[in-house]
Amino acid sequence: GAGVSQSPSNKVTEKGKDVELRCDPISGHTALYWYRQSLGQGLEFLIYFQGNSAPDKSGLPSDRFSAERTGGSVSTLTIQRTQQEDSAVYLCASSLGDRQRGEKLFFGSGTQLSVL
Amino acid sequence: AQSVTQPDIHITVSEGASLELRCNYSYGATPYLFWYVQSPGQGLQLLLKYFSGDTLVQGIKGFEAEFKRSQSSFNLRKPSVHWSDAAEYFCAVGAGTGTASKLTFGTGTRLQVTL
């Protein structure tokens, strides 16, 4: 596609429910990232996929968070048993994956998650 | 571990005035440095990046940034601000060669432009 697409753009859920956030990266981009942006905070790294390599999950805040990337394209971030502190904007980014040169990230518009 | 500090949470400038947004980083080796902009309702967009070489980097929309190793800084500048520059600006540092894309972002500086 023309850019990184994320859905839904807004999600309101009740505490304790599970949510799934979707990211559709730019076609041909081998690298995909998830970041979280909380109010008044910077962007917090969550997870990184690069080709067929094992994902870098070092930023996931708890075992309630997981992500997968199917077929090297679409990615889903799942949050189980949501808590109010999970409320944030979840941003997805993709890149060509040329890590040696510090590649440019293309960001989606994000999913605003609100946990009531 | 790397970190980024953006000491100014909010800055207001008049249209046509010059702008400087501050960014200080902490990283043990030569950093990869970035500035991203997030306009209202838009995704983050790369303004410019520094990897090596010339310490003065030119970016899009008339922005530039200067890498000063002695000060661990990478301040963003623009000689004449336009109303459309109102947005949130994020400085970021990337780790070394093997993990260059795992960026650590600052908390951002919100720029307001008055007419």
Short mmCIF file of all heavy atoms in Angstrom, two decimals, chain B residues 5-59:
data_model
loop_
_atom_site.label_atom_id
_atom_site.label_comp_id
_atom_site.label_asym_id
_atom_site.label_seq_id
_atom_site.Cartn_x
_atom_site.Cartn_y
_atom_site.Cartn_z
N THR B 5 17.04 13.13 25.99
CA THR B 5 16.36 14.15 26.78
C THR B 5 15.99 15.33 25.90
O THR B 5 16.85 15.88 25.20
CB THR B 5 17.25 14.65 27.93
OG1 THR B 5 17.61 13.56 28.76
CG2 THR B 5 16.52 15.70 28.76
N GLN B 6 14.73 15.68 25.92
CA GLN B 6 14.26 16.89 25.26
C GLN B 6 13.77 17.80 26.39
O GLN B 6 12.68 17.60 26.91
CB GLN B 6 13.15 16.59 24.26
CG GLN B 6 13.64 15.78 23.06
CD GLN B 6 12.54 15.51 22.06
OE1 GLN B 6 12.10 14.36 21.90
NE2 GLN B 6 12.08 16.55 21.39
N PRO B 7 14.56 18.79 26.78
CA PRO B 7 14.24 19.55 27.99
C PRO B 7 13.04 20.47 27.87
O PRO B 7 12.46 20.86 28.87
CB PRO B 7 15.53 20.35 28.23
CG PRO B 7 16.22 20.39 26.93
CD PRO B 7 15.85 19.15 26.20
N ASP B 8 12.67 20.82 26.66
CA ASP B 8 11.54 21.74 26.45
C ASP B 8 10.30 20.95 26.08
O ASP B 8 10.25 20.33 25.04
CB ASP B 8 11.86 22.75 25.35
CG ASP B 8 13.14 23.53 25.65
OD1 ASP B 8 13.21 24.09 26.76
OD2 ASP B 8 14.04 23.54 24.80
N ILE B 9 9.30 21.00 26.96
CA ILE B 9 8.06 20.28 26.69
C ILE B 9 7.21 21.02 25.66
O ILE B 9 6.58 20.43 24.79
CB ILE B 9 7.26 20.10 27.99
CG1 ILE B 9 8.05 19.21 28.97
CG2 ILE B 9 5.89 19.47 27.71
CD1 ILE B 9 7.42 19.12 30.33
N HIS B 10 7.23 22.35 25.77
CA HIS B 10 6.37 23.17 24.93
C HIS B 10 7.11 24.45 24.57
O HIS B 10 7.70 25.08 25.46
CB HIS B 10 5.06 23.48 25.67
CG HIS B 10 4.06 24.23 24.87
ND1 HIS B 10 3.42 25.36 25.33
CD2 HIS B 10 3.58 24.01 23.62
CE1 HIS B 10 2.59 25.80 24.39
NE2 HIS B 10 2.65 25.00 23.35
N ILE B 11 7.08 24.81 23.29
CA ILE B 11 7.71 26.05 22.82
C ILE B 11 6.73 26.79 21.93
O ILE B 11 6.06 26.16 21.10
CB ILE B 11 9.01 25.76 22.06
CG1 ILE B 11 10.14 25.40 23.02
CG2 ILE B 11 9.43 26.95 21.22
CD1 ILE B 11 11.45 25.13 22.36
N THR B 12 6.68 28.11 22.10
CA THR B 12 5.84 28.95 21.25
C THR B 12 6.73 29.97 20.54
O THR B 12 7.52 30.66 21.19
CB THR B 12 4.76 29.69 22.06
OG1 THR B 12 3.93 28.74 22.72
CG2 THR B 12 3.90 30.55 21.14
N VAL B 13 6.59 30.05 19.23
CA VAL B 13 7.34 31.04 18.46
C VAL B 13 6.38 31.73 17.49
O VAL B 13 5.33 31.19 17.13
CB VAL B 13 8.51 30.42 17.67
CG1 VAL B 13 9.50 29.77 18.61
CG2 VAL B 13 8.00 29.43 16.65
N SER B 14 6.77 32.91 17.08
CA SER B 14 5.98 33.65 16.09
C SER B 14 6.37 33.19 14.70
O SER B 14 7.53 32.83 14.43
CB SER B 14 6.24 35.15 16.23
OG SER B 14 5.87 35.60 17.52
N GLU B 15 5.41 33.22 13.81
CA GLU B 15 5.70 32.86 12.42
C GLU B 15 6.78 33.80 11.88
O GLU B 15 6.73 35.01 12.08
CB GLU B 15 4.44 32.95 11.57
CG GLU B 15 4.66 32.40 10.15
CD GLU B 15 3.35 32.36 9.36
OE1 GLU B 15 2.56 33.31 9.45
OE2 GLU B 15 3.14 31.36 8.65
N GLY B 16 7.76 33.20 11.21
CA GLY B 16 8.87 33.97 10.67
C GLY B 16 10.07 34.03 11.58
O GLY B 16 11.19 34.37 11.13
N ALA B 17 9.88 33.70 12.84
CA ALA B 17 10.99 33.70 13.79
C ALA B 17 11.81 32.43 13.61
O ALA B 17 11.37 31.45 13.03
CB ALA B 17 10.46 33.81 15.21
N SER B 18 13.02 32.48 14.16
CA SER B 18 13.88 31.30 14.11
C SER B 18 13.50 30.33 15.23
O SER B 18 12.87 30.70 16.22
CB SER B 18 15.35 31.71 14.23
OG SER B 18 15.57 32.30 15.49
N LEU B 19 13.91 29.08 15.04
CA LEU B 19 13.54 28.02 15.98
C LEU B 19 14.74 27.16 16.29
O LEU B 19 15.55 26.84 15.40
CB LEU B 19 12.45 27.14 15.36
CG LEU B 19 12.08 25.87 16.12
CD1 LEU B 19 11.34 26.21 17.40
CD2 LEU B 19 11.25 24.94 15.24
N GLU B 20 14.88 26.78 17.57
CA GLU B 20 15.84 25.76 17.94
C GLU B 20 15.22 24.86 18.99
O GLU B 20 14.78 25.32 20.04
CB GLU B 20 17.15 26.36 18.48
CG GLU B 20 18.18 25.29 18.83
CD GLU B 20 19.57 25.85 19.11
OE1 GLU B 20 19.66 26.99 19.59
OE2 GLU B 20 20.56 25.13 18.87
N LEU B 21 15.16 23.58 18.70
CA LEU B 21 14.65 22.57 19.63
C LEU B 21 15.84 21.76 20.13
O LEU B 21 16.63 21.25 19.34
CB LEU B 21 13.63 21.66 18.95
CG LEU B 21 12.41 22.35 18.35
CD1 LEU B 21 11.46 21.31 17.77
CD2 LEU B 21 11.69 23.20 19.37
N ARG B 22 15.91 21.62 21.44
CA ARG B 22 17.07 20.98 22.04
C ARG B 22 16.90 19.47 22.21
O ARG B 22 15.79 18.99 22.50
CB ARG B 22 17.36 21.61 23.40
CG ARG B 22 17.78 23.08 23.32
CD ARG B 22 18.13 23.61 24.70
NE ARG B 22 16.97 23.73 25.56
CZ ARG B 22 17.05 23.92 26.88
NH1 ARG B 22 18.22 23.96 27.47
NH2 ARG B 22 15.95 24.05 27.59
N CYS B 23 18.00 18.78 22.04
CA CYS B 23 18.02 17.34 22.22
C CYS B 23 19.39 16.94 22.75
O CYS B 23 20.41 17.29 22.15
CB CYS B 23 17.75 16.61 20.91
SG CYS B 23 17.99 14.82 20.98
N ASN B 24 19.40 16.23 23.86
CA ASN B 24 20.63 15.67 24.40
C ASN B 24 20.48 14.16 24.49
O ASN B 24 19.42 13.65 24.84
CB ASN B 24 20.94 16.25 25.78
CG ASN B 24 21.28 17.71 25.70
OD1 ASN B 24 20.43 18.58 25.91
ND2 ASN B 24 22.52 18.00 25.37
N TYR B 25 21.54 13.46 24.17
CA TYR B 25 21.48 12.00 24.17
C TYR B 25 22.55 11.43 25.07
O TYR B 25 23.54 12.09 25.40
CB TYR B 25 21.64 11.47 22.74
CG TYR B 25 23.03 11.67 22.20
CD1 TYR B 25 24.01 10.70 22.38
CD2 TYR B 25 23.38 12.84 21.54
CE1 TYR B 25 25.29 10.88 21.93
CE2 TYR B 25 24.66 13.05 21.09
CZ TYR B 25 25.62 12.07 21.29
OH TYR B 25 26.89 12.26 20.84
N SER B 26 22.34 10.20 25.42
CA SER B 26 23.34 9.45 26.17
C SER B 26 23.53 8.12 25.47
O SER B 26 22.58 7.35 25.31
CB SER B 26 22.87 9.22 27.61
OG SER B 26 23.78 8.37 28.30
N TYR B 27 24.77 7.90 25.02
CA TYR B 27 25.08 6.64 24.36
C TYR B 27 26.58 6.47 24.34
O TYR B 27 27.31 7.43 24.09
CB TYR B 27 24.51 6.63 22.93
CG TYR B 27 24.76 5.33 22.21
CD1 TYR B 27 24.25 4.13 22.72
CD2 TYR B 27 25.50 5.29 21.04
CE1 TYR B 27 24.49 2.93 22.07
CE2 TYR B 27 25.74 4.09 20.39
CZ TYR B 27 25.23 2.92 20.90
OH TYR B 27 25.46 1.73 20.27
N GLY B 28 27.07 5.28 24.57
CA GLY B 28 28.49 5.05 24.74
C GLY B 28 29.31 5.07 23.47
O GLY B 28 30.50 5.30 23.51
N ALA B 29 28.70 4.86 22.35
CA ALA B 29 29.43 4.81 21.08
C ALA B 29 28.88 5.90 20.16
O ALA B 29 28.10 6.74 20.57
CB ALA B 29 29.27 3.43 20.45
N THR B 30 29.33 5.88 18.92
CA THR B 30 28.82 6.86 17.96
C THR B 30 27.35 6.59 17.70
O THR B 30 26.98 5.49 17.30
CB THR B 30 29.60 6.78 16.63
OG1 THR B 30 30.98 7.03 16.90
CG2 THR B 30 29.06 7.81 15.65
N PRO B 31 26.52 7.56 17.94
CA PRO B 31 25.08 7.32 17.82
C PRO B 31 24.56 7.54 16.41
O PRO B 31 25.18 8.22 15.61
CB PRO B 31 24.50 8.37 18.76
CG PRO B 31 25.44 9.53 18.61
CD PRO B 31 26.81 8.93 18.41
N TYR B 32 23.44 6.94 16.14
CA TYR B 32 22.63 7.33 15.00
C TYR B 32 21.54 8.22 15.59
O TYR B 32 20.89 7.85 16.56
CB TYR B 32 21.98 6.12 14.33
CG TYR B 32 22.92 5.15 13.68
CD1 TYR B 32 22.49 3.89 13.29
CD2 TYR B 32 24.25 5.46 13.44
CE1 TYR B 32 23.33 2.98 12.69
CE2 TYR B 32 25.12 4.56 12.84
CZ TYR B 32 24.66 3.32 12.46
OH TYR B 32 25.49 2.43 11.87
N LEU B 33 21.34 9.39 15.03
CA LEU B 33 20.42 10.37 15.60
C LEU B 33 19.37 10.77 14.59
O LEU B 33 19.66 10.89 13.40
CB LEU B 33 21.19 11.60 16.08
CG LEU B 33 22.17 11.33 17.23
CD1 LEU B 33 23.19 12.45 17.35
CD2 LEU B 33 21.40 11.15 18.54
N PHE B 34 18.17 10.99 15.08
CA PHE B 34 17.04 11.27 14.20
C PHE B 34 16.18 12.37 14.83
O PHE B 34 16.11 12.52 16.04
CB PHE B 34 16.15 10.02 14.05
CG PHE B 34 16.88 8.78 13.61
CD1 PHE B 34 17.58 8.01 14.52
CD2 PHE B 34 16.83 8.37 12.29
CE1 PHE B 34 18.24 6.85 14.12
CE2 PHE B 34 17.49 7.21 11.88
CZ PHE B 34 18.18 6.46 12.80
N TRP B 35 15.50 13.09 13.96
CA TRP B 35 14.40 13.93 14.37
C TRP B 35 13.17 13.52 13.56
O TRP B 35 13.23 13.42 12.32
CB TRP B 35 14.67 15.41 14.10
CG TRP B 35 15.42 16.09 15.20
CD1 TRP B 35 16.76 16.36 15.25
CD2 TRP B 35 14.88 16.63 16.41
NE1 TRP B 35 17.09 17.00 16.42
CE2 TRP B 35 15.95 17.19 17.15
CE3 TRP B 35 13.58 16.70 16.96
CZ2 TRP B 35 15.77 17.80 18.38
CZ3 TRP B 35 13.41 17.31 18.17
CH2 TRP B 35 14.49 17.85 18.88
N TYR B 36 12.06 13.29 14.30
CA TYR B 36 10.79 12.97 13.68
C TYR B 36 9.79 14.05 14.07
O TYR B 36 9.87 14.64 15.15
CB TYR B 36 10.27 11.61 14.16
CG TYR B 36 10.89 10.42 13.46
CD1 TYR B 36 12.12 9.91 13.86
CD2 TYR B 36 10.23 9.80 12.41
CE1 TYR B 36 12.68 8.82 13.22
CE2 TYR B 36 10.78 8.69 11.77
CZ TYR B 36 12.00 8.23 12.18
OH TYR B 36 12.56 7.14 11.54
N VAL B 37 8.81 14.27 13.19
CA VAL B 37 7.74 15.22 13.48
C VAL B 37 6.40 14.51 13.42
O VAL B 37 6.18 13.64 12.56
CB VAL B 37 7.77 16.41 12.48
CG1 VAL B 37 7.60 15.95 11.04
CG2 VAL B 37 6.71 17.44 12.85
N GLN B 38 5.54 14.87 14.34
CA GLN B 38 4.18 14.29 14.39
C GLN B 38 3.19 15.45 14.33
O GLN B 38 3.00 16.16 15.31
CB GLN B 38 3.99 13.48 15.65
CG GLN B 38 2.69 12.71 15.71
CD GLN B 38 2.61 11.83 16.95
OE1 GLN B 38 3.09 12.19 18.03
NE2 GLN B 38 2.00 10.65 16.82
N SER B 39 2.58 15.62 13.17
CA SER B 39 1.58 16.66 13.01
C SER B 39 0.23 16.13 13.49
O SER B 39 0.01 14.91 13.48
CB SER B 39 1.50 17.09 11.55
OG SER B 39 2.75 17.61 11.13
N PRO B 40 -0.68 17.02 13.88
CA PRO B 40 -2.00 16.58 14.37
C PRO B 40 -2.69 15.65 13.39
O PRO B 40 -2.84 15.96 12.21
CB PRO B 40 -2.76 17.91 14.52
CG PRO B 40 -1.70 18.93 14.75
CD PRO B 40 -0.52 18.48 13.93
N GLY B 41 -3.07 14.49 13.88
CA GLY B 41 -3.76 13.53 13.05
C GLY B 41 -2.89 12.81 12.04
O GLY B 41 -3.40 12.04 11.22
N GLN B 42 -1.61 13.03 12.12
CA GLN B 42 -0.68 12.40 11.17
C GLN B 42 0.24 11.41 11.88
O GLN B 42 0.43 11.49 13.08
CB GLN B 42 0.18 13.48 10.49
CG GLN B 42 -0.60 14.58 9.82
CD GLN B 42 -1.26 14.11 8.55
OE1 GLN B 42 -0.67 13.37 7.76
NE2 GLN B 42 -2.49 14.52 8.33
N GLY B 43 0.80 10.53 11.09
CA GLY B 43 1.82 9.64 11.64
C GLY B 43 3.15 10.38 11.77
O GLY B 43 3.30 11.49 11.29
N LEU B 44 4.10 9.76 12.42
CA LEU B 44 5.42 10.36 12.55
C LEU B 44 6.15 10.34 11.22
O LEU B 44 6.09 9.36 10.48
CB LEU B 44 6.26 9.60 13.58
CG LEU B 44 5.95 9.96 15.02
CD1 LEU B 44 5.03 8.93 15.62
CD2 LEU B 44 7.23 10.06 15.84
N GLN B 45 6.84 11.43 10.94
CA GLN B 45 7.57 11.57 9.69
C GLN B 45 9.01 11.94 9.98
O GLN B 45 9.27 12.80 10.83
CB GLN B 45 6.91 12.65 8.82
CG GLN B 45 7.57 12.86 7.48
CD GLN B 45 6.94 13.98 6.69
OE1 GLN B 45 6.28 14.86 7.25
NE2 GLN B 45 7.12 13.97 5.39
N LEU B 46 9.93 11.29 9.30
CA LEU B 46 11.33 11.58 9.49
C LEU B 46 11.68 12.94 8.91
O LEU B 46 11.38 13.21 7.75
CB LEU B 46 12.19 10.50 8.83
CG LEU B 46 13.70 10.68 8.93
CD1 LEU B 46 14.17 10.51 10.38
CD2 LEU B 46 14.42 9.69 8.03
N LEU B 47 12.31 13.79 9.72
CA LEU B 47 12.78 15.09 9.25
C LEU B 47 14.21 15.00 8.75
O LEU B 47 14.54 15.53 7.69
CB LEU B 47 12.73 16.12 10.39
CG LEU B 47 11.39 16.75 10.74
CD1 LEU B 47 11.57 17.66 11.94
CD2 LEU B 47 10.81 17.50 9.55
N LEU B 48 15.05 14.35 9.53
CA LEU B 48 16.46 14.22 9.16
C LEU B 48 17.12 13.19 10.05
O LEU B 48 16.55 12.77 11.05
CB LEU B 48 17.18 15.56 9.25
CG LEU B 48 16.97 16.41 10.52
CD1 LEU B 48 17.77 15.90 11.68
CD2 LEU B 48 17.32 17.87 10.24
N LYS B 49 18.33 12.80 9.63
CA LYS B 49 19.06 11.78 10.39
C LYS B 49 20.55 12.03 10.27
O LYS B 49 21.03 12.60 9.28
CB LYS B 49 18.71 10.39 9.88
CG LYS B 49 18.99 10.18 8.40
CD LYS B 49 18.48 8.84 7.92
CE LYS B 49 18.72 8.66 6.43
NZ LYS B 49 18.15 7.38 5.91
N TYR B 50 21.27 11.61 11.29
CA TYR B 50 22.72 11.70 11.29
C TYR B 50 23.29 10.31 11.54
O TYR B 50 22.90 9.64 12.51
CB TYR B 50 23.23 12.65 12.37
CG TYR B 50 24.71 12.56 12.56
CD1 TYR B 50 25.59 13.20 11.69
CD2 TYR B 50 25.25 11.77 13.58
CE1 TYR B 50 26.96 13.08 11.85
CE2 TYR B 50 26.61 11.65 13.74
CZ TYR B 50 27.46 12.29 12.87
OH TYR B 50 28.81 12.17 13.01
N PHE B 51 24.21 9.91 10.65
CA PHE B 51 24.91 8.64 10.87
C PHE B 51 26.39 8.87 11.06
O PHE B 51 27.01 8.32 11.95
CB PHE B 51 24.71 7.69 9.68
CG PHE B 51 23.30 7.25 9.50
CD1 PHE B 51 22.80 6.93 8.26
CD2 PHE B 51 22.44 7.14 10.58
CE1 PHE B 51 21.49 6.52 8.10
CE2 PHE B 51 21.12 6.74 10.43
CZ PHE B 51 20.65 6.43 9.17
N SER B 52 26.98 9.67 10.19
CA SER B 52 28.41 9.94 10.26
C SER B 52 28.70 11.09 9.31
O SER B 52 27.83 11.57 8.60
CB SER B 52 29.23 8.71 9.86
OG SER B 52 28.97 8.37 8.51
N GLY B 53 29.97 11.52 9.29
CA GLY B 53 30.36 12.55 8.33
C GLY B 53 30.03 13.95 8.82
O GLY B 53 30.17 14.27 10.00
N ASP B 54 29.55 14.75 7.91
CA ASP B 54 29.26 16.15 8.20
C ASP B 54 28.31 16.26 9.39
O ASP B 54 27.24 15.65 9.40
CB ASP B 54 28.63 16.81 6.97
CG ASP B 54 28.61 18.33 7.07
OD1 ASP B 54 28.85 18.85 8.18
OD2 ASP B 54 28.33 18.98 6.06
N THR B 55 28.71 17.06 10.36
CA THR B 55 27.90 17.15 11.58
C THR B 55 26.69 18.05 11.42
O THR B 55 25.83 18.07 12.30
CB THR B 55 28.77 17.67 12.74
OG1 THR B 55 29.34 18.93 12.35
CG2 THR B 55 29.88 16.69 13.07
N LEU B 56 26.61 18.79 10.35
CA LEU B 56 25.42 19.61 10.07
C LEU B 56 24.60 18.87 9.02
O LEU B 56 25.04 18.66 7.90
CB LEU B 56 25.83 21.00 9.58
CG LEU B 56 24.68 21.98 9.35
CD1 LEU B 56 23.94 22.25 10.66
CD2 LEU B 56 25.21 23.28 8.76
N VAL B 57 23.41 18.50 9.41
CA VAL B 57 22.57 17.67 8.57
C VAL B 57 21.36 18.48 8.09
O VAL B 57 20.71 19.14 8.89
CB VAL B 57 22.08 16.44 9.36
CG1 VAL B 57 21.20 15.57 8.50
CG2 VAL B 57 23.27 15.64 9.87
N GLN B 58 21.09 18.38 6.81
CA GLN B 58 19.93 19.06 6.25
C GLN B 58 18.77 18.07 6.13
O GLN B 58 18.97 16.90 5.80
CB GLN B 58 20.26 19.62 4.87
CG GLN B 58 21.42 20.60 4.84
CD GLN B 58 21.14 21.85 5.66
OE1 GLN B 58 20.04 22.37 5.67
NE2 GLN B 58 22.15 22.33 6.39
N GLY B 59 17.58 18.56 6.41
CA GLY B 59 16.41 17.69 6.31
C GLY B 59 15.34 18.29 5.42
O GLY B 59 15.59 19.24 4.68
#
